[in-house]
Amino acid sequence: MSDTLKESLFEKLCQLQCHFTWVPQKDNIDFNDLKLRLQDSIQLGVKYQATSYNHLAFVNCQQGDYEEAIQNLKEAEIIWRGNHKDELERRSIITYGNFAWVHYHMGHLTEAQSYLDKLEMICKPLSDGPRYTAMIPEVYGEKGWSLLTFGNIVYYEEAKECFEKALEEDSDNVEWNMGFATALYRLETISGVSENQEQSQPVKYLRRVLELDPDDTVAMVMLALKLQEFNEAEKANELVEEALRKSPDLPYVLRYTAKFYRIARAFDIAIGLLKRALEFTPCSAFLHHQISTCYRGKLFTLKKKADYNNSGRAAFQLKAELISMCKYHFEKAFQLKSSFIIAKLDFAGICLEDGEADRAEEIYKSLLSLEDLAPDNKQALALKVGLFELHHKRSESNAIIYLLDGLKIHPGSKNWKFCDSNLRKILRSQIKRNPRNSKAFGVLGLVHQLSGEKAEAIKCFERALEFDPDTEEHLTALSELCLST
């Protein structure tokens, strides 16, 4: 095939709806970790295995394992034929698109074209749009799962929209309802809990999933976690117990249930569940991280006891043991997954608990030197380093720099709220010590501006200019705010 025809083929492939045209920020994906997770999910027989095989085919192709990718897609095709015989063609659109891309990467251009021909035949009666694709519920649903699997939190909103579009035409589909509920669950986890469960969209759609499929134990434990947030302890406990009874060995159920018990401060029960899950997926970085989080909870509970400082050798020995367990599992987590930034930050935090400030600082410096961090990791790092500068280095000025960096990422997230509250506390303290502190007023104005509080921001910039009228930065900010009101 000539270069011209190859370029033409590539242009056609770019029009497809499949993993090769969806996956965001490919360079930031930890393919080794993702491959392991997908293989575990398939081996453990979780739902929607054809979707997992499509994901895995993309990963294998990116790693150069083309033959394995082809085999993954054949497995997906077998599952579609067995489970969706009446809608096989609609379900095959994504798989055929992935087939075309893998053959293209292998240099099998004739085979790639043959899959494009198949797609054209399938899609022509389904859509008046592009020749090689059709935006139908099956395509929107697969794209939604892809964004939840591969993308970071930046893409959860888009995933939600994909499932929403799928449900517009197929409102009773369990898979799309579960995908929509999962996207809503993650988004609400980031932004904070709704005022009440009646307003909580994840609660509504997780209940909808259970109406359609009363045996979906993952939906049960996710709903239990949401009800726990709304202090519906009795119903939440019932759901957790039912899920464990029906799926005692499903790692997804075990990990969500462990989180439920961890939040309830039943740390030993949570640790037991996580260790059981670890028997099925021994290389799970996530599970090691969660185990360590439980040990950290036990550590903080111990330290909060009223008689802790006078409790003698046994308590200090227990503290040392808990710190050791925290370090072991946090370290194991990022050894298994080198891109696990949160685990490294948590390890640094335990080093601080153990009096190893220098070691923690080395970790922070190492992480700050990394390029292309995902936004959520960058924000978490900015928060942790800011607090380290504040409490351990006693540098309010450096703390402000890092916390401001965190405040410019993911407005409304939990870490954003921590950056915001700590900045306000520092700046108000500085103003209290020096009511004519122009710089502090200016930064506080920026904090209000980033929080969408225009009136308060204007007042702060006016006060800053009152004490230092020639600061160009404050003049510009005030001018922009006044023009936008």
Side-chain angles (χ1 to χ4, degrees):
M1 185 177 285
S2 69
D3 289 343
T4 302
L5 289 175
K6 185 175 181 181
E7 288 175 9
S8 175
L9 178 60
F10 180 77
E11 289 176 5
K12 293 174 185 177
L13 291 171
C14 289
Q15 298 174 33
L16 298 180
Q17 289 287 334
C18 66
H19 292 77
F20 290 82
T21 58
W22 291 335
V23 177
Q25 295 188 347
K26 296 176 185 176
D27 292 340
N28 288 334
I29 295 173
D30 186 333
F31 284 113
N32 290 329
D33 174 72
L34 182 55
K35 183 174 182 175
L36 183 64
R37 288 191 285 118
L38 289 168
Q39 289 172 333
D40 283 344
S41 69
I42 291 168
Q43 183 179 348
L44 293 165
V46 297
K47 288 186 175 182
Y48 320 131
Q49 286 203 10
T51 297
S52 295
Y53 273 118
N54 267 310
H55 294 332
L56 188 56
F58 172 80
V59 172
N60 276 318
C61 186
Q62 293 300 307
Q63 294 185 320
D65 296 331
Y66 302 124
E67 295 295 342
E68 189 65 28
I70 292 292
Q71 187 58 41
N72 297 150
L73 295 173
K74 288 180 179 178
E75 294 290 347
E77 197 172 18
I78 290 169
I79 293 170
W80 293 140
R81 289 184 185 280
N83 297 345
H84 301 278
K85 192 173 182 179
D86 295 337
E87 52 187 24
L88 177 61
E89 288 189 341
R90 297 168 66 92
R91 285 284 182 169
S92 297
I93 290 173
I94 309 305
T95 306
Y96 287 168
N98 288 337
F99 263 124
W101 269 103
V102 176
H103 280 299
Y104 176 82
H105 283 293
M106 296 175 75
H108 299 167
L109 305 184
T110 302
E111 288 85 346
Q113 181 62 54
S114 72
Y115 277 102
L116 287 175
D117 295 340
K118 288 182 181 181
L119 285 168
E120 187 171 17
M121 290 180 62
I122 292 170
C123 296
K124 188 174 182 179
L126 298 175
S127 172
D128 295 329
R131 292 169 58 188
Y132 303 107
T133 192
M135 296 313 296
I136 58 176
E138 290 80 2
V139 172
Y140 279 121
E142 284 279 312
K143 184 174 183 180
W145 284 122
S146 178
L147 291 169
L148 289 178
T149 301
F150 290 99
N152 57 49
I153 62 177
V154 174
Y155 300 96
Y156 292 169
E157 185 66 37
E158 186 180 353
K160 184 199 80 170
E161 292 170 2
C162 286
F163 289 119
E164 201 166 21
K165 288 175 181 175
L167 289 170
E168 286 175 3
E169 296 185 44
D170 192 359
S171 61
D172 293 335
N173 185 287
V174 180
E175 185 175 349
W176 310 151
N177 273 283
M178 186 57 180
F180 190 48
T182 303
L184 292 168
Y185 179 96
R186 294 188 188 180
L187 285 167
E188 192 167 275
T189 300
I190 295 163
S191 61
V193 186
S194 301
E195 290 185 10
N196 55 64
Q197 63 169 295
E198 286 73 27
Q199 293 179 336
S200 174
Q201 289 294 296
V203 168
K204 175 183 175 181
Y205 280 92
L206 286 167
R207 283 180 169 151
R208 176 64 176 147
V209 171
L210 291 172
E211 286 175 9
L212 296 166
D213 181 4
D215 293 324
D216 192 320
T217 51
V218 174
M220 283 181 201
V221 286
M222 289 174 69
L223 179 57
L225 282 164
K226 297 308 297 182
L227 294 179
Q228 184 182 48
E229 293 174 353
F230 297 114
N231 299 314
E232 294 284 341
E234 184 176 351
K235 179 59 178 176
N237 274 296
E238 288 175 7
L239 286 167
V240 164
E241 290 170 4
E242 185 178 359
L244 281 175
R245 184 172 64 254
K246 289 184 174 182
S247 301
D249 297 328
L250 186 62
Y252 287 103
V253 169
L254 292 171
R255 66 169 64 172
Y256 279 121
T257 304
K259 182 179 180 180
F260 177 87
Y261 284 114
R262 173 171 61 80
I263 292 170
R265 310 196 72 74
F267 297 116
D268 289 331
I269 296 175
I271 290 168
L273 291 167
L274 290 165
K275 287 186 175 179
R276 190 198 306 175
L278 204 59
E279 293 175 6
F280 298 101
T281 54
C283 295
S284 170
F286 175 85
L287 291 175
H288 279 287
H289 182 263
Q290 288 299 296
I291 290 170
S292 196
T293 302
C294 290
Y295 281 120
R296 184 176 62 188
K298 293 186 71 171
L299 173 64
F300 290 165
T301 300
L302 174 68
K303 290 181 65 179
K304 287 179 181 177
K305 287 185 177 179
D307 61 344
Y308 170 70
N309 290 324
N310 300 314
S311 54
R313 180 178 178 83
F316 286 99
Q317 179 63 33
L318 177 57
K319 175 188 173 184
E321 291 173 2
L322 290 172
I323 286 176
S324 176
M325 294 305 294
C326 284
K327 283 185 173 180
Y328 171 79
H329 287 286
F330 279 142
E331 188 171 26
K332 188 72 174 176
F334 63 76
Q335 285 175 344
L336 287 167
K337 182 182 177 182
S338 60
S339 62
F340 204 161
I341 303 301
I342 300 302
K344 293 180 181 180
L345 289 173
D346 286 335
F347 182 82
I350 290 299
C351 288
L352 292 175
E353 286 291 327
D354 204 19
E356 297 179 310
D358 289 345
R359 189 175 185 186
E361 187 171 15
E362 287 178 11
I363 294 170
Y364 293 140
K365 286 180 178 178
S366 173
L367 293 175
L368 287 168
S369 69
L370 297 178
E371 297 180 359
D372 299 324
L373 283 179
D376 51 329
N377 286 332
K378 190 179 294 186
Q379 186 178 58
L381 176 59
L383 173 62
K384 294 296 185 184
V385 176
L387 294 177
F388 176 76
E389 289 289 341
L390 179 65
H391 298 300
H392 293 273
K393 305 290 282 187
R394 307 297 181 188
S395 173
E396 288 185 347
S397 59
N398 285 344
I400 288 170
I401 291 170
Y402 287 110
L403 293 172
L404 269 177
D405 285 343
L407 201 66
K408 295 172 183 176
I409 305 169
H410 287 321
S413 71
K414 289 182 180 179
N415 282 336
W416 182 92
K417 291 173 183 176
F418 284 130
C419 290
D420 180 80
S421 61
N422 278 283
L423 274 167
R424 291 175 192 243
K425 185 177 180 180
I426 295 169
L427 294 166
R428 285 168 180 162
S429 176
Q430 289 184 345
I431 290 169
K432 185 177 181 180
R433 295 196 302 266
N434 176 13
R436 299 178 62 85
N437 189 331
S438 170
K439 188 173 182 180
F441 272 114
V443 177
L444 185 56
L446 179 56
V447 172
H448 285 301
Q449 185 179 8
L450 290 169
S451 301
E453 300 163 352
K454 289 185 179 181
E456 292 85 349
I458 288 172
K459 289 177 184 178
C460 285
F461 286 126
E462 287 176 341
R463 292 300 302 275
L465 289 167
E466 180 183 339
F467 304 123
D468 190 357
D470 298 324
T471 304
E472 185 68 29
E473 183 181 355
H474 298 163
L475 283 166
T476 301
L478 182 59
S479 176
E480 290 176 353
L481 281 166
C482 290
L483 287 171
S484 67
T485 54

